[in-house]
Amino acid sequence: MQSSAKRIAIFASGTGSNARNIMAYFSTREDVRVALLVCNKPDAPVLRIAHDFSIPTLIIDRSDVQEGNTPLLHALTHTYAIDFILLAGFLWKIPATLVAQFPKRMVNIHPSLLPLHGGKGMYGMRVHEAVCAAAERESGITIHYVNEHYDEGAVIFQARCPVSPDDSPGEVARKVQELEHRFFPRVIDAVMHGQPVSAEYLPSHQSRPA
Ligand code: GRF
């Protein structure tokens, strides 16, 4: 059973709360294994999390994501036999050759309701500040396939949270992170198994899957 497990690589370079959540979610599973953490910051806290879960880590630099470079692609497809890539707080653009190698097998999570507040430079607290500056009445998460443009791949799933005029960006971040932790692993689980992203994951007031 173990040898036929689907193998995930998580790309993350930040705090790693989503990476931790996904590692914990799949840690007792035989059909899915988090097999690699790819990170571009040698001092990122997420590396410690991977070590705690005994997951191998790969530190990359800019040359690894330059179009046409093959060592990262080779490591993913051959050395680690990766089936599925999750971006969870990874800010560099993924080269088209790598995207092409993982069609419908590379997924990102973004902390807003795309297409709102996405694109290059929109990450972390900048997203929530933009939500507050635009006086949005709701925000949420978008889980989407990755293509060669920032935050533009096909949407798989969105979930919403209310934003009140009194909310600070930090408060919006807290609500959004709660959604990320609640839904990201389960949505990935369904996608990896070719199952529809079930409405059972959604409270009745929230958006239905795409
Ligand atoms: C999350 O908000 C995710 O949506 C975005 O990057 C952030 C990563 O947070 N892509 P963490 O490092 O998992 O806490």
Side-chain angles (χ1 to χ4, degrees), residues 8-188:
I8 295 176
I10 299 176
F11 283 42
S13 293
T15 312
S17 72
N18 282 282
R20 182 203 303 273
N21 194 38
I22 288 162
M23 289 171 191
Y25 178 91
F26 288 115
S27 63
T28 56
R29 291 274 293 272
E30 294 197 339
D31 58 333
V32 177
R33 166 189 286 213
V34 180
L36 180 65
L37 176 86
V38 176
C39 179
N40 66 268
K41 285 193 188 152
D43 58 350
V46 68
L47 290 166
R48 162 60 62 133
I49 295 170
H51 291 312
D52 289 347
F53 280 87
S54 301
I55 290 167
T57 59
L58 183 63
I59 307 288
I60 61 169
D61 62 28
R62 280 278 179 197
S63 69
D64 287 300
V65 290
Q66 267 162 21
E67 207 58 68
N69 269 9
T70 55
L72 175 58
L73 183 59
H74 188 272
L76 292 167
T77 55
H78 290 85
T79 313
Y80 294 98
I82 295 302
D83 299 297
F84 207 86
I85 294 174
L86 298 183
L87 309 186
F90 186 79
L91 303 182
W92 288 354
K93 196 168 166 191
I94 304 294
T97 42
L98 189 51
V99 174
Q101 199 68 33
F102 289 86
K104 296 259 171 165
R105 294 190 292 130
M106 192 185 305
V107 169
N108 181 43
I109 184 165
H110 185 80
S112 74
L113 296 170
L114 292 175
L116 297 174
H117 311 299
K120 187 168 168 53
M122 289 303 284
Y123 60 86
M125 206 51 83
R126 292 185 190 185
V127 176
H128 310 303
E129 285 164 359
V131 165
C132 290
E136 305 282 13
R137 301 308 305 271
E138 62 178 11
S139 191
I141 61 170
T142 303
I143 298 171
H144 65 94
Y145 291 113
V146 174
N147 69 11
E148 55 281 10
H149 304 291
Y150 277 110
D151 300 331
E152 288 186 14
V155 172
I156 300 166
F157 174 91
Q158 290 185 313
R160 296 162 195 279
C161 57
V163 175
S164 83
D166 298 335
D167 282 348
S168 65
E171 178 61 13
V172 178
R174 189 194 62 73
K175 292 178 185 177
V176 167
Q177 188 180 62
E178 188 184 311
L179 294 176
E180 291 181 335
H181 292 177
R182 191 184 335 156
F183 290 116
F184 197 23
R186 284 182 283 169
V187 169
I188 291 309

